[in-house]
Amino acid sequence: MNDDQYYMKLALDLAASAKGKTNPNPVVGAVIVKDGVIAGTGIHRKAGEPHAEVHAFKMAGEYAEGATLYVTLEPCSHYGKTPPCANLVKESGVRRVVVATQDPNPEVAGRGISILKDAGIEVEVGVLEKEAQRLNERFIHNMLTDRPFVISKYAMTLDGKLATHTGHSKWITGEEARHSVHLLRDEVDAILVGIGTVLADDPSLTTRLPEGGGKNPIRIILDSELRVPLDAKVVQVSGAKTLVVTQENAPADKMDLLREKGIEFIFVPKNETGLNLKALMEELYKKGITDVLLEGGSEVNASFLREGLIDKYLIYIAPKLLGGRNSLTPYTGMNVDTMDEAMDVSFSGVETFGEDIRITAYPK
Ligand code: AOF
Ligand code: ZN
């Protein structure tokens, strides 16, 4: 690892510490180095608050003169909730700027880099670029598609089952794996499940961390026939907002009773395969939802897969075998006839949680 990579890695680690806390903004870290000494560090902590560079320059003070700035995302060039960082960098006196990756925000998209170059600052782009893009995969996806980033998460046995043939599924994975799921819930804006999962498991879909704290994502229930029971935990357990996705002609009296409980509705038209999920995703993004943890069941998972709406897979695998001719698998509703029609993914990593493993994968 050379010096540039070393300091960029530090900036990326700083940025990563704010993952899930900056939505809809990206995570960004900045490090200012003068004569081989770190003079300033900064993290963008929350949308609406100062950008990473602002904190780093505040710390560096006069040491910024002639220094190198390492920043994980191109300094911004626009007036958003905060003024352009490129101007601040230009006036700081830094001699060199190392950027991991360009900002995909159409309001920036290279303009920040141009401002710096035009000011005679030496700019290098692309140091640890892949890592920086992975770290902001959610933000980049939002900017390019105007849709939330969808993560398909499920826990299965080593023989690919989500439950026994009787439907029993508590628990497939152990405590450590389940804890990691609560950390995920704390990071995302929303969790989405189908009504089948609500009826079968009655989950509360809240974030429960033993160390306390944590934020509850919005609970989204796909329920085209409005079958959600009034005594379901997603209705009764407070502390998290619930959005029910149904059709405009759903029974008004039941909607009124649910509204009294604080439930909100999104109306989405049906198409041949069920609710129009692309339309739903666009609607959710307009409401400010930037990422969705898709937590099943296997029919809803299959609908998202068929529509090409899954952006990442987090697959927990427990060292257990269940068998069962008709036991559910993660995407039961999808029927592929021949191998050449299979959905291809690429594995990107494997982690261990107690006795379980988690595979991270992306669509190919
Ligand atoms: C940076 N450094 O630390 C961040 C940047 O509304 P604002 O003013 O906060 O602007 C948000 C946009 O600024 C965001 O969409 C992205 O393009 C950029 N974020 N840029 O130079 C930072 N967080
Ligand atoms: Zn900025």
Side-chain angles (χ1 to χ4, degrees), residues 24-29 43-44 47-53 71 73-76 78-83 85 103 105 108 139 143:
N25 279 1
V27 289
V28 183
I43 305 173
H44 179 55
E49 290 190 7
H51 287 181
E53 298 90 321
V71 61
L73 190 73
E74 169 186 8
C76 65
H78 70 303
Y79 286 86
K81 292 189 194 86
T82 69
C85 291
D103 187 344
N105 183 348
V108 184
F139 175 72
M143 288 297 123

Side-chain angles (χ1 to χ4, degrees), residues 6 15-16 80 161 201-202 288:
Y6 175 84
K161 303 296 188 187
D201 300 347
D202 194 21

